[in-house]
Amino acid sequence: MLPVARAALNLTARGIQRTAVRQTHRKYEPDFHDKYGNMVLIGGAVVFTAVWGYVLTQAGIEWGLSPVGRVTPKEWKE
């Protein structure tokens, strides 16, 4: 290996080691997702369930998914 390449790899490895050491000594502080992530997810699931529960039961929509017996052919026009 060339001396220049070896020196460059050595510098890169030292930089990675310093970053790793710096991150391990840092005190861990929870961010927004750590604090509120599960509550936001549960809240969204509750709202989703409530809205679809209303739509399916109270909105008065007729959910006729099958046209069998309801669709009749029109008379042929010549």
Side-chain angles (χ1 to χ4, degrees):
M1 189 178 267
L2 295 172
V4 175
R6 187 178 306 138
L9 284 175
N10 218 2
L11 286 175
T12 304
R14 264 193 232 136
I16 292 171
Q17 288 172 346
R18 283 187 192 133
T19 303
V21 167
R22 199 176 323 130
Q23 288 178 350
T24 57
H25 290 300
R26 185 185 306 168
K27 188 173 183 179
Y28 178 73
E29 299 172 7
D31 61 357
F32 176 84
H33 299 288
D34 293 330
K35 289 181 181 178
Y36 307 110
N38 289 335
M39 292 308 296
V40 170
L41 185 65
I42 291 169
V46 167
V47 169
F48 176 86
T49 304
V51 168
W52 275 106
Y54 172 79
V55 168
L56 293 173
T57 60
Q58 303 295 321
I61 300 173
E62 292 187 21
W63 299 94
L65 300 177
S66 174
V68 175
R70 277 186 263 146
V71 176
T72 56
K74 295 181 180 178
E75 291 292 327
W76 184 260
K77 297 179 184 177
E78 287 190 38

